[in-house]
Amino acid sequence: MTAGWWRVRIECADGDRDAIAAAMVALTGQGVEEIDAHTLATAAEDELGATELIASLQQAFPGAVASTTQLAPVDWTLRWRDGIVTRRLGRLVLTPSWLPVSAAVGEAVITIDPESAFGSGEHGSTRGALALLERHVRTGDAVLDLGSGSGILAIAAVLLGARHAIGIEVDEESQPIAHANARKNGVADRVTFVTGDAGVIAPLAGPANIICSNILRNVNTELLPAIAAALTPGGHAIFAGMEDAESAEFLPALAQHGWTVVDTARDAGWWSVAARQ
């Protein structure tokens, strides 16, 4: 918890603003906010510091008019949570554990907190993959999640009705996080996570009705044959992890390997696509 910070506001006389701004930086080591053409503001660590700053400035610049305001204490161990919200993607409700959520009938709630493993729902590529998964997964489906990271896609698939999902991740450090997320969401008995090369494991882990590959465009391209080998006839593959501009490079690769696009999603500059053979 940080307490005691004070905001110092200075009304500058004509011609003094730049010199006062430089003096404020030198005296405090803090940045200076330019509120308007004649007003500057900075922060002092406590009331004494604010008083001393004002005295120094007014001694050097007699025309300066100062005021102070005590700032509310900030707990920086929690402040990082600001801006993380509950999101709804069709039937799927994605929320961090510290936000209360009330699900409507037919909605599936997945609780995922930001961790070191990729996939918390705060990234556009993850949300795009989730949006396509929500639209195409069916009750009783078998699902593979390639590059599973936090396990978010595998867990979401089961919460949306899949009978079982397998997450394949090359980074073994992600596995404890994925397992913990599965337990947190009550699906540990229906989700399996394995470490290894998705190109090798996917055909062995199939057949699957839905395969999600939220990795990178070049990796998605390399995995196209393995994904085709692991997919059931009529099944869908969901590819994500690609920026909007990369669609122009990935679509020809899909067509070359015999895939037909059935759906797309765009979110915050990221492009995701569902396709079948």
Side-chain angles (χ1 to χ4, degrees):
M1 181 76 73
T2 301
W5 285 86
W6 287 70
R7 179 178 172 84
V8 178
R9 180 184 173 109
I10 303 292
E11 304 288 339
C12 308
D14 289 342
D16 286 344
R17 191 188 73 161
D18 290 346
I20 290 177
M24 292 169 79
V25 172
L27 289 167
T28 66
Q30 307 293 331
V32 174
E33 178 186 359
E34 297 182 357
I35 297 175
D36 56 42
H38 298 284
T39 310
L40 301 172
T42 190
E45 293 187 8
D46 51 35
E47 186 175 11
L48 177 60
T51 301
E52 291 177 345
L53 173 61
I54 290 171
S56 296
L57 290 172
Q58 289 181 329
Q59 182 178 0
F61 306 96
V65 178
S67 61
T68 60
T69 306
Q70 187 174 15
L71 300 175
V74 174
D75 186 347
W76 293 106
T77 66
L78 298 177
R79 187 63 176 267
W80 64 271
R81 295 177 173 181
D82 292 357
I84 299 177
V85 299
T86 297
R87 303 176 186 274
R88 279 178 160 80
L89 301 166
R91 295 170 290 147
L92 189 63
V93 181
L94 179 63
T95 189
S97 60
W98 62 85
L99 291 180
V101 63
S102 178
V105 175
E107 288 185 329
V109 177
I110 179 170
T111 301
I112 298 284
D113 291 335
E115 304 265 10
S116 58
F118 181 77
S120 68
E122 292 304 304
H123 197 280
S125 68
T126 305
R127 294 195 298 268
L130 286 168
L132 293 176
L133 179 64
E134 187 276 331
R135 294 204 286 262
H136 294 284
V137 70
R138 297 291 180 264
T139 300
D141 277 352
V143 175
L144 295 182
D145 176 11
L146 313 186
S148 51
S150 70
I152 186 171
L153 296 175
I155 294 167
V158 170
L159 291 173
L160 289 166
R163 74 174 185 275
H164 189 263
I166 299 174
I168 304 170
E169 172 59 58
V170 69
D171 179 10
E172 63 182 13
E173 293 184 4
S174 297
Q175 299 293 33
I177 296 171
H179 284 289
N181 284 331
R183 291 192 297 271
K184 182 189 303 180
N185 286 277
V187 297
D189 59 331
R190 289 171 286 164
V191 179
T192 302
F193 295 106
V194 297
T195 302
D197 184 339
V200 174
I201 298 175
L204 302 175
N209 306 96
I210 298 277
I211 299 178
C212 300
S213 183
N214 180 21
I215 310 180
L216 296 169
R217 177 184 55 80
N218 62 322
V219 180
N220 285 336
T221 302
E222 292 173 4
L223 288 174
L224 286 174
I227 291 173
L231 202 61
T232 59
H236 292 81
I238 295 170
F239 302 95
M242 298 170 284
E243 297 182 17
D244 283 338
E246 293 183 277
S247 62
E249 298 178 74
F250 192 62
L251 287 172
L254 283 176
Q256 182 180 351
H257 285 82
W259 294 85
T260 300
V261 172
V262 297
D263 201 357
T264 61
R266 295 181 187 271
D267 193 313
W270 294 87
W271 176 75
S272 305
V273 59
R276 59 176 174 78
Q277 287 198 313

